Structure formats: C-alpha cells, structure tokens
Amino acid sequence: MPLFPAACRPVLIGSLPGTDHRQAMQLITAHSPEIPLWQQLPKLPREGMIRQFLSGFPGLVEEGGKFWVAADREDFPEKMTSFYEEYLRVSAVPDQLGASRFALGRDTAPGFFTLLDSLGASPRPPFTVKGQVTGPITAGIGLKDQQGHPAIYDDNLRDILIKLLALKGRWQAAILQRYTGSMPPLIFIDEPGMVGFGAGGFDGISVEMVKSAVNGVIDEIHAGDGLAGIHICANGDWGPALDSTTDIISFDAYSYFDNFILYREPLCRFLRRGGILAWGIIPTGDPQAVLNESTASLFAHWLEQLDRLASLGFSRRQLMNQTFIAPSCGTGSLPPELAKKVLAMTSSLSTLARKALAQTEY
C-alpha cells in the first residue's frame, strides 16, 4: 500500500518568478488547489535557496548581499553553545519551536505566512499542504566559512546545519498539520547535491555522511507528523536517496528518467515499501522545451515511462497510486508566461492521469 493516496494528484515545486507573494499564491491555488504550497520567490535576495533557511545559524554574517559563517570570531564558541542549548530545550519541549530560532521568519520566508493566510481564509480545507526546506548537502556546499570553505567539510558547522534545517522542517510540519485534517502535510527537502557527492567538487563526502545528514532531516519531519520528500532536479547517483528513509522521491523524469530507472534494486525496494514518486514529467529547465511540449505530448511520454517502470514487476495501477504528477523543478528562473504554462500543464496532465487511473484495473 502507498504511504499516502497520491493517485496522480498534482504537486508543485516551490519557486516561482515574480516578487508578489499574493499573486504567486493565487497562481498556486488555481493550479493545485488540493495540495497548495508556500511560494519561494528567488528574485527577492533573502529567498535564495540557501539563504532562506539559514536564519538562526550561529555566527551568520550578511553584508553586501553576501553571507557566511564567521567561525573565527572570538564570540563564536559562545554562540555555538547557545545554539545547542536552545536545540536541546526545544527538542525536549517541541511546543516551544514556534518561539525559537527554528521557526521560519517573515523576513526570509514570507511565502509561508501568505500560505497560512490563504488557508485560514479558505471555506474548506485542502487535501493536504506542502512545505519545503533546503537539504543539508546542498546547503552545506553553498554555505561557506570566513575562508570560503564549504560548511559541509567542518564537523561542527555540518552538525549545526543539519539540526537547524531538521527542526525548521519539523516546525513546518507541525504548523501545516493544523490545516490538513486527517492527512499528513508534505515537507520536501530540496537536495540536488545529494546525487552529486561523487563528483570532483564533493571530494571527502561519503555515502554514509550523505545518508546520515538527510535522514536526520527526514526523522524530524516524521516527528512533526509530516511525510518527507526528497526533491532532486539533478542527475547522478540515485542510490542514497532511494535507500534513505524518505516517503517521496521527486525527480526530473523529463530529462533523467533513463538514468533513474537504472537504479533498479533500490528503486524497486522503495516502491515495494509504499514509496511515492513525484514524477517530474513537465520540463522547467529548458524554456524551448516548455514552449514545444503540450499536455498531450507529455502525457504520452509519461505513459511510455510508466510502462517501462511497470516492466520491473509492478502493475500500472500500483504505480499510478504511488505517483504525484509534478514539474521537474521550480519555475523561478522562467519567464512568467512559461511558468504559468508549466503549472497549467501539470494540472491538466494530472487530470488525464487520474482519468486513466480510474479506467485501469491492473
């Protein structure tokens, strides 16, 4: 049985073009009313993928549009001690998360609070709600110390980062649970760096480190009664993600399905335990591909991929029940009209897929 009744429902990825959160929220609810999510607008400086979730990191410095951790300053040990004291306190009493550094703030995540306003004004609850947090591998590569060294290579900074992101995910799950009724909220971990750890720029990052770091975030999302997803729009080694404790894998099926399906054994284990695929069949990375494709062409492409995956020993019906229809990634880098087309194709392709599911007996 699937961990969640996905059943080819549409689910979106957070980033959108523009700078108006209310307009972005209207766009989301128009195309994904069953599973709304909060918007990330990367054109706003503090809503970049890395910076957005770093508030509360001890020693974080922000000047001239840049940020880093000043771990060489005299007061850093004291700030680090304060971080761990607060972490232990809220871990013991999770109800205190909202008044801690582990809650999202309106200065860096206004989209989250725009979502809460929208949910509060809605006459009926959605099917569920989606949040997101940047993963510790991707954030650990992007966050640097005062010498420009990635935080992931420093044992102390890496541990702080994992704990910070994990509790930000848990806090989201706990807040969003208030709006989802009997369904758990979905918290996606944006982690493209997870499949690239073997590349030259990631020397010294072991498979064990990758799994431990990401599972640490997943565990806290589960503790907040949420389902965890890993969103990866890159290509590489899918083994660690599929072998993690995640409930959902969000992948770029449009560009990388052929590589993804090569990981037959871990993929089959993931599906047999009820794992869900957020099937990123709608392109976002290439504007020309967005222009050229249609709902009909992408639906045919998805059905062909579905049959290839079914040939590994699954029924079409099982796979469709364990599928979300999704864009391959966010649309924050696309022109507004193409972003709208991506969202519209996601919604309409989901409608076709759900009709196909209703007609599928096996």
Side-chain angles (χ1 to χ4, degrees):
M1 292 292 292
L3 296 166
F4 182 89
C8 297
R9 289 180 169 86
V11 68
L12 302 177
I13 309 302
S15 71
L16 288 165
T19 57
D20 188 313
H21 290 92
R22 293 193 179 278
Q23 288 182 3
M25 191 71 245
Q26 291 171 1
L27 195 61
I28 287 168
T29 53
H31 294 97
S32 184
E34 287 185 275
I35 310 177
L37 74 160
W38 63 275
Q39 336 86 52
Q40 299 163 288
L41 305 183
K43 288 187 177 180
L44 299 173
R46 304 194 87 194
E47 294 192 40
M49 182 179 182
I50 307 299
R51 174 62 186 91
Q52 190 163 37
F53 298 98
L54 292 181
S55 295
F57 198 105
L60 185 69
V61 176
E62 192 168 12
E63 293 178 2
K66 297 181 180 180
F67 56 87
W68 68 93
V69 178
D72 60 338
R73 293 188 180 177
E74 188 175 329
D75 63 349
F76 182 73
E78 181 181 347
K79 290 182 176 181
M80 189 166 64
T81 298
S82 177
F83 173 88
Y84 279 108
E85 288 175 346
E86 188 171 6
Y87 172 79
L88 292 171
R89 175 172 57 81
V90 299
S91 295
V93 188
D95 288 347
Q96 296 182 8
L97 273 171
S100 75
R101 71 177 76 208
F102 303 103
L104 298 181
R106 293 180 181 273
D107 58 334
T108 56
F112 182 82
F113 299 94
T114 304
L115 170 63
L116 296 188
D117 290 343
S118 175
L119 292 170
S122 177
R124 53 186 179 179
F127 188 72
T128 190
V129 184
K130 175 180 173 288
Q132 54 267 333
V133 64
T134 300
I137 306 304
T138 300
I141 295 296
L143 176 62
K144 308 291 198 303
D145 67 11
Q146 67 283 347
Q147 295 177 327
H149 298 147
I152 197 167
Y153 296 113
D154 183 291
D155 290 345
N156 289 327
L157 300 184
R158 183 175 66 251
D159 185 64
I160 291 169
L161 184 61
I162 293 168
K163 287 177 166 56
L164 181 73
L165 297 173
L167 287 190
K168 286 182 184 285
R170 178 172 181 168
W171 177 79
Q172 287 184 65
I175 295 296
L176 296 177
Q177 179 70 65
R178 301 171 186 173
Y179 299 91
T180 60
S182 61
M183 290 295 169
L186 314 177
I187 309 296
F188 277 27
I189 303 165
D190 295 329
E191 191 58 290
M194 192 173 189
V195 295
F197 69 91
F202 298 88
D203 291 340
I205 302 178
S206 67
V207 174
E208 291 72 23
M209 182 192 297
V210 169
K211 287 182 180 179
S212 176
V214 176
N215 281 338
V217 180
I218 293 169
D219 289 347
E220 290 292 353
I221 293 170
H222 286 165
D225 295 325
L227 290 187
I230 300 176
H231 169 67
I232 300 175
C233 54
N235 193 22
D237 184 351
W238 281 94
L242 289 165
D243 285 333
S244 73
T245 56
T246 192
D247 307 299
I248 305 162
I249 296 285
S250 172
F251 72 109
D252 182 347
Y254 184 83
S255 300
Y256 304 130
F257 180 82
D258 289 345
N259 182 73
F260 183 70
I261 202 172
L262 291 176
Y263 291 81
R264 175 171 179 162
E265 290 186 9
L267 176 56
C268 288
R269 286 196 300 269
F270 174 77
L271 291 168
R272 285 178 185 135
R273 69 174 174 85
I276 298 163
L277 296 177
W279 212 301
I281 193 64
I282 294 88
T284 59
D286 180 1
Q288 193 60 47
V290 179
L291 280 170
N292 292 343
E293 296 289 0
S294 66
T295 300
S297 66
L298 293 174
F299 183 58
H301 191 30
W302 175 69
L303 288 175
E304 183 268 333
Q305 291 183 355
L306 186 71
D307 284 341
R308 289 175 62 190
L309 187 53
S311 72
L312 300 185
F314 302 93
S315 71
R316 255 192 173 200
R317 184 171 184 83
Q318 177 186 347
L319 293 177
M320 293 164 87
N321 276 317
Q322 292 176 228
T323 290
F324 285 122
I325 299 298
S328 60
C329 198
T331 60
S333 62
L334 290 173
E337 289 309 310
L338 290 186
K340 290 178 182 178
K341 183 179 180 182
V342 168
L343 269 59
M345 288 194 295
T346 302
S347 177
S348 57
L349 200 157
S350 169
T351 298
L352 290 178
R354 292 164 82 171
K355 288 180 179 178
L357 173 58
Q359 299 168 0
T360 300
E361 297 181 357
Y362 60 89

